[in-house]
Amino acid sequence: MFVEAEKAMLVREEEAPNLRGAVSLKHHFVLVHGIGGGSWCWYKIRCLMENSGYKVTCIDLKSSGIDRSDADYILSFDDYNKPLMDFLSALPENEQVILVGHSAGGLSLTQASHKFAKKIRLAIYVAATMLKLGFRTDQDQKDGVPDLSEFGDVYELGFGLGYDKPPTSALVKKEFHRKIIYQLSPHEDSTLAGMLLRPGPVHALTSARFAEENSDVEKVPRVYIKTMQDHVMKPEQQEALIKRWPPSNVYVLDSDHSPFFSTPFLLFGLLVKAAAFDVGCN
């Protein structure tokens, strides 16, 4: 079911009591960034959520945000995603959270859903890699890895294992930020990103593989939010991921790859809507 983002705007003031009746304002959202980002990506969404009474946790994965690990020495996905897994492990057994993952953060959500299904109320993928078993086939790579070759030589690469080995980290060059990642976002946000983006551990991310045995991953309700002006995870890639592993609902945003910057109110509205109406729908 596709829902236009405009219809998911915050309810009118006179409808607010009905929304409060449908959704507990004590939902706990856990926000997970994409490659090279950090918890700082979510500053607008966190502000909107907390001002509306929600509990919010923003995770910095290894080598991201304020975590000082070197991306060239993060060589496994388990290591990279450890901050999220540690958070969920420490969460009391009787508590559930709503996970929100952006871009490569979708892999983090999927691993968490395999291992901590009972603690996850809902998983929301925002322009995100949504592969049930991670990267196992060439088709997984085609559908789940952004192809930026049309823009030319866009990456600064790191070679922690030696220059004769595949790169261990990657960062989009600053001169390509607005053209590729933030073309519809405010200039002050793309400037902020240029100051804070860090190399991402591509070796670790492409090694992400998840075992289905003894997994309750299918018990976690999922929602996908498509970004229709996305130059990173192109709409056709997102559609391929949705068809391969259909979520319970699909919403649409007319945004670039970074809706937390370009359409924060619309994104907030969709997250709240999903929390209200998509929990428990497999």
Side-chain angles (χ1 to χ4, degrees):
M1 174 181 177
F2 289 84
V3 182
E4 291 296 334
E6 288 77 5
K7 296 179 181 178
M9 282 294 287
L10 298 180
V11 294
R12 297 190 302 272
E13 185 175 352
E14 63 269 22
E15 295 173 332
N18 292 331
L19 180 60
R20 284 194 290 271
V23 187
S24 166
L25 292 186
K26 294 185 179 179
H27 279 325
H28 184 179
F29 287 85
V30 178
L31 311 181
V32 184
H33 61 82
I35 185 171
S39 58
W40 55 269
C41 295
W42 301 103
Y43 80 96
K44 290 181 177 180
I45 301 301
R46 180 169 191 161
C47 181
L48 289 167
M49 284 186 163
E50 290 182 339
N51 285 345
S52 299
Y54 295 95
K55 184 176 181 180
V56 183
T57 299
C58 298
I59 301 291
D60 278 324
L61 300 177
K62 281 285 195 76
S63 74
S64 307
I66 62 172
D67 183 275
R68 300 319 302 168
S69 305
D70 187 331
D72 285 319
Y73 299 97
I74 305 295
L75 301 178
S76 73
F77 187 77
D78 286 349
D79 190 16
Y80 173 65
N81 203 35
K82 190 173 185 295
L84 176 61
M85 304 303 278
D86 286 349
F87 171 84
L88 290 170
S89 178
L91 197 70
E93 292 298 325
N94 62 340
E95 290 189 25
Q96 285 190 315
V97 297
I98 295 173
L99 295 184
V100 181
H102 173 247
S103 197
L107 293 165
S108 297
L109 266 60
T110 302
Q111 185 184 50
S113 297
H114 276 282
K115 297 195 175 184
F116 294 103
K118 292 180 180 179
K119 295 185 177 184
I120 302 170
R121 187 176 181 86
L122 177 68
I124 305 176
Y125 292 75
V126 182
T129 303
M130 187 174 66
L131 293 167
K132 183 177 179 180
L133 300 178
F135 294 114
R136 291 180 174 269
T137 67
D138 290 342
Q139 191 63 45
D140 295 334
Q141 295 281 339
K142 180 180 179 181
D143 294 339
V145 177
D147 179 7
L148 306 184
S149 58
E150 67 185 273
F151 298 102
D153 180 18
V154 304
Y155 289 116
E156 296 174 4
L157 300 174
F159 295 87
L161 297 176
Y163 287 100
D164 59 335
K165 299 290 193 302
T168 47
S169 69
L171 175 66
V172 174
K173 296 174 182 176
K174 191 172 293 188
E175 59 264 32
F176 290 100
H177 285 184
R178 281 209 63 81
K179 185 175 184 179
I180 299 175
I181 313 173
Y182 308 111
Q183 80 271 16
L184 300 179
S185 299
H187 279 269
E188 58 265 36
D189 288 325
S190 60
T191 299
L192 175 70
M195 297 166 66
L196 296 178
L197 282 172
R198 295 174 58 191
V202 291
H203 186 282
L205 281 160
T206 54
S207 73
R209 293 175 181 81
F210 315 125
E212 193 169 12
E213 296 78 13
N214 303 314
S215 170
D216 289 329
V217 66
E218 291 290 359
K219 294 183 179 180
V220 178
R222 286 174 293 111
V223 167
Y224 200 98
I225 298 177
K226 290 180 66 176
T227 44
M228 299 308 293
Q229 304 298 323
D230 200 322
H231 292 168
V232 180
M233 283 294 289
K234 297 177 178 63
E236 56 268 28
Q237 278 185 289
Q238 298 180 52
E239 186 61 28
L241 294 169
I242 289 165
K243 287 182 177 178
R244 289 182 58 183
W245 193 25
S248 62
N249 214 340
V250 177
Y251 297 103
V252 176
L253 276 175
D254 191 34
S255 80
D256 57 20
H257 187 60
S258 305
F260 39 71
F261 289 159
S262 58
T263 56
F265 291 99
L266 290 172
L267 177 58
F268 170 64
L270 288 179
L271 297 176
V272 171
K273 184 179 180 69
F277 301 113
D278 290 299
V279 172
C281 299
N282 279 24

